[in-house]
């Protein structure tokens, strides 16, 4: 390859190194010669030089932080000993695209930032400066489905990336930080509402890149504060009514101790539901939320409730034959779970069950006499009748 000579002086030559001569860091031998004629070169010396890459900043306007800094590079790639200088930061070349510099770790004081590059020997500064477009609060908006602490809200991810790139930032609700949700809410980014008192709070984005940005709208927070309106000892199947900052039309989860989850829709700010099965005695009634994809969340420890054991008040008739229908009357039958009926050790066929009545078929028996009836249900708990039944 021939090298263009720009200027000749008695003691030096000025040469124009072509962009395609080699890569940054290459050592190249130049043969300096003199043409005698078109086909004859009189070689005079051999010179070795080290090639240094260079960049030019493709910048003619203010840019968004997340779009990156465009450059034109010559003789360099990701593996070159080469750094771009932005302000007081050294940034590496991009791996996939060396002509885009990902901005990160910049502290912006609102001034234009100097630009340059380090080529392994010298730091070369450009006469161009970087001006960043600051965030516009009206452009950053959030979506809120429910105002309860622990529930998520979302912010458009592309807008955040445009202004903040890959740099860290935090979302402040009042004086508290909203935890980031690692679940996907594409195209948005999800955050959890912190545990705060009832009220409306400012939303701010805080980072090292810009001064805090306060969004135009406040966010509402309403902690679930469940309270039983008709508190009393209950039987299974009784109706429970609750207040507690519930949002109309939204489904909540009611759970009795470790048992059945019920989806209950709020109406007029209240929940109303039938007490499901569980264990007799002391239980905890907890109210929570289900949200995709995080699952069930129960923000409060629960309300103690007392569940009375179901009561059999009568057995009729008291004397029957095999295959006859026996009726038990009493309280708290409706939501008994997996009920099995035994008479003198024999399994009885359950025919029907309601809140106050159970019907079953008298079994075939080998033992004669009068025996109590046993109802067995959840976790092998049993209810034994005081009244005896005789099967002929």
């Amino acid at each position: 390859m021939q090298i263009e000579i720009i200027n000749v002086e008695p003691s030096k030559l000025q040469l124009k190194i072509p962009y395609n001569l080699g890569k940054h860091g290459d050592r190249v031998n130049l043969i300096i010669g003199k043409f005698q004629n078109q086909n004859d070169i009189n070689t005079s010396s051999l010179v070795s030089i080290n090639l240094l890459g260079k960049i030019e900043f493709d910048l003619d306007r203010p840019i968004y932080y997340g779009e990156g800094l465009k450059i034109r590079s010559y003789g360099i790639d990701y593996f070159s000993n080469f750094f771009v200088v932005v302000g007081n930061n050294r940034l590496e070349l991009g791996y996939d695209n060396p002509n885009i510099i990902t901005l990160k770790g910049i502290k912006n004081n609102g001034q234009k930032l100097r630009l340059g590059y380090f080529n392994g020997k010298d730091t070369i500064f450009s006469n161009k400066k970087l001006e960043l477009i600051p965030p516009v609060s009206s452009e950053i908006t959030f979506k809120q489905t429910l105002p309860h602490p622990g529930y998520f809200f979302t912010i458009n991810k592309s807008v955040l990336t445009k202004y903040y790139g890959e740099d860290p930032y935090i979302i402040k609700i009042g004086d508290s930080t909203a935890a980031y949700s690692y679940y996907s809410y594409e195209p948005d980014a999800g955050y959890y509402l912190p545990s705060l008192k009832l009220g409306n709070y400012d939303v701010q984005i805080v980072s090292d890149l810009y001064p805090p940005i306060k969004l135009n709208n406040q966010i509402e927070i309403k902690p679930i504060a469940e309270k039983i309106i008709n508190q009393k000892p209950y039987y299974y199947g009784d109706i429970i009514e609750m207040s507690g900052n519930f949002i109309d039309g939204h489904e909540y989860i009611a759970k009795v101790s470790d048992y059945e989850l019920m989806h209950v829709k709020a109406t007029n700010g209240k929940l109303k539901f039938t007490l499901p099965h569980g264990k007799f005695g002391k239980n905890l009634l907890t109210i929570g939320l289900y949200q995709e994809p995080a699952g069930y969340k129960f923000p409060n420890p629960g309300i103690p409730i007392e569940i009375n054991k179901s009561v059999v008040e009568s057995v009729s008739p008291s004397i029957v034959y095999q295959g006859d229908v026996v009726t038990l009357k009493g309280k708290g039958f409706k939501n008994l779970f997996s009920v099995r009926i035994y008479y003198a050790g024999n399994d009885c066929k359950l025919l029907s069950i309601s809140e106050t009545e159970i019907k079953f078929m008298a079994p075939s028996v080998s033992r004669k006499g009068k025996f109590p009836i046993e109802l067995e249900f959840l976790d092998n708990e049993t209810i034994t009748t005081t009244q005896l039944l005789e099967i002929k």
Side-chain angles (χ1 to χ4, degrees):
M1 178 185 295
Q2 292 186 5
I3 308 299
E4 180 183 351
I5 298 175
I6 299 175
N7 187 35
V8 178
E9 296 182 16
S11 60
K12 66 179 180 181
L13 292 176
Q14 285 186 324
L15 308 176
K16 183 176 181 180
I17 305 299
Y19 292 132
N20 61 347
L21 183 60
K23 289 187 175 182
H24 174 76
D26 287 351
R27 190 170 185 82
V28 178
N29 293 323
L30 300 182
I31 299 174
I32 308 297
K34 182 179 181 181
F35 283 97
Q36 300 296 331
N37 54 55
Q38 187 173 4
N39 298 315
D40 186 18
I41 300 177
N42 180 22
T43 302
S44 61
S45 63
L46 179 67
V47 178
S48 292
I49 63 172
N50 290 322
L51 294 180
L52 296 176
K54 69 174 287 189
I55 66 171
E56 295 173 353
F57 293 95
D58 189 6
L59 189 67
D60 57 4
R61 61 173 177 83
I63 67 169
Y64 294 104
Y65 191 78
E67 69 181 282
L69 178 62
K70 295 180 180 179
I71 63 171
R72 287 188 291 271
S73 61
Y74 304 99
I76 58 175
D77 57 27
Y78 177 77
F79 300 101
S80 301
N81 180 22
F82 211 94
F83 298 95
V84 174
V85 177
V86 179
N88 295 320
N89 296 68
R90 282 187 172 189
L91 303 179
E92 295 181 347
L93 300 176
Y95 180 76
D96 295 324
N97 186 355
N99 290 321
I100 294 289
I101 304 300
T102 300
L103 298 175
K104 53 186 176 181
I106 306 295
K107 291 188 176 181
N108 180 27
N109 58 8
Q111 303 296 317
K112 295 182 179 180
L113 301 171
R114 64 179 183 172
L115 296 172
Y117 62 89
F118 176 70
N119 59 19
K121 181 181 178 183
D122 301 307
T123 301
I124 312 298
F125 285 102
S126 170
N127 59 0
K128 294 185 177 181
K129 292 185 180 293
L130 174 62
E131 182 179 359
L132 295 172
I133 301 173
V136 179
S137 60
S138 61
E139 193 176 346
I140 306 174
T141 58
F142 61 84
K143 300 175 189 173
Q144 182 181 18
T145 305
L146 277 178
H148 301 316
Y151 209 78
F152 68 90
F153 66 99
T154 59
I155 300 178
N156 187 282
K157 188 186 295 184
S158 63
V159 176
L160 293 175
T161 301
K162 180 172 74 171
Y163 286 119
Y164 295 93
E166 299 176 4
D167 279 20
Y169 53 84
I170 60 174
I171 308 297
K172 300 281 286 186
I173 309 294
D175 294 327
S176 299
T177 298
Y180 177 72
S181 170
Y182 290 94
Y183 296 105
S184 175
Y185 298 100
E186 294 292 346
D188 298 328
Y191 298 86
Y192 294 115
L193 290 172
S195 294
L196 292 170
K197 294 180 179 179
L198 178 70
N200 295 311
Y201 294 85
D202 289 334
V203 181
Q204 293 188 88
I205 303 177
V206 180
S207 74
D208 290 334
L209 180 58
Y210 301 109
I213 303 297
K214 186 172 79 170
L215 306 192
N216 287 0
N217 297 325
Q218 289 188 315
I219 201 165
E220 182 184 23
I221 290 188
K222 281 187 173 182
I224 293 178
E226 62 265 44
K227 181 180 179 181
I228 297 178
I229 297 174
N230 57 336
Q231 178 73 276
K232 62 179 182 179
Y234 299 98
Y235 291 99
Y236 289 118
D238 283 352
I239 301 297
I240 291 184
E241 191 172 6
M242 304 184 75
S243 61
N245 292 331
F246 302 117
I247 307 302
D248 285 358
H250 187 79
E251 284 192 345
Y252 293 83
I253 308 299
K255 183 176 72 165
V256 177
S257 294
D258 294 326
Y259 296 99
E260 182 172 327
L261 298 171
M262 299 177 298
H263 292 255
V264 185
K265 187 172 290 188
T267 304
N268 297 324
K270 298 176 182 179
L271 299 182
K272 192 174 182 180
F273 55 92
T274 301
L275 186 64
H277 62 261
K279 297 190 82 170
F280 296 132
K282 297 185 183 299
N283 285 269
L284 277 178
L285 174 60
T286 52
I287 303 298
L289 303 164
Y290 181 82
Q291 53 178 304
E292 291 285 358
Y296 296 105
K297 287 182 174 289
F298 294 90
N300 299 324
I303 300 174
I305 61 171
E306 184 81 19
I307 299 178
N308 291 331
K309 200 167 187 176
S310 300
V311 176
V312 178
E313 296 174 336
S314 68
V315 178
S316 63
S318 58
I319 301 174
V320 295
Y321 291 90
Q322 176 188 343
D324 286 351
V325 175
V326 181
T327 301
L328 307 180
K329 291 188 178 292
K331 297 177 181 177
F333 296 153
K334 184 176 181 181
N335 277 22
L336 293 181
F337 182 70
S338 299
V339 177
R340 300 188 70 177
I341 303 173
Y342 296 96
Y343 173 81
N346 296 280
D347 199 351
C348 305
K349 181 180 179 181
L350 176 65
L351 299 176
S352 65
I353 185 168
S354 68
E355 185 174 344
T356 59
E357 186 178 89
I358 294 175
K359 291 181 181 292
F360 68 92
M361 184 179 293
S364 172
V365 295
S366 58
R367 297 167 60 193
K368 300 299 181 181
K370 296 181 179 181
F371 300 96
I373 301 160
E374 291 186 345
L375 306 180
E376 182 182 290
F377 67 110
L378 192 66
D379 287 349
N380 296 320
E381 286 203 40
T382 58
I383 301 170
T384 303
T385 62
T386 56
Q387 185 177 340
L388 303 181
L389 173 69
E390 183 179 0
I391 300 178
K392 295 289 190 176

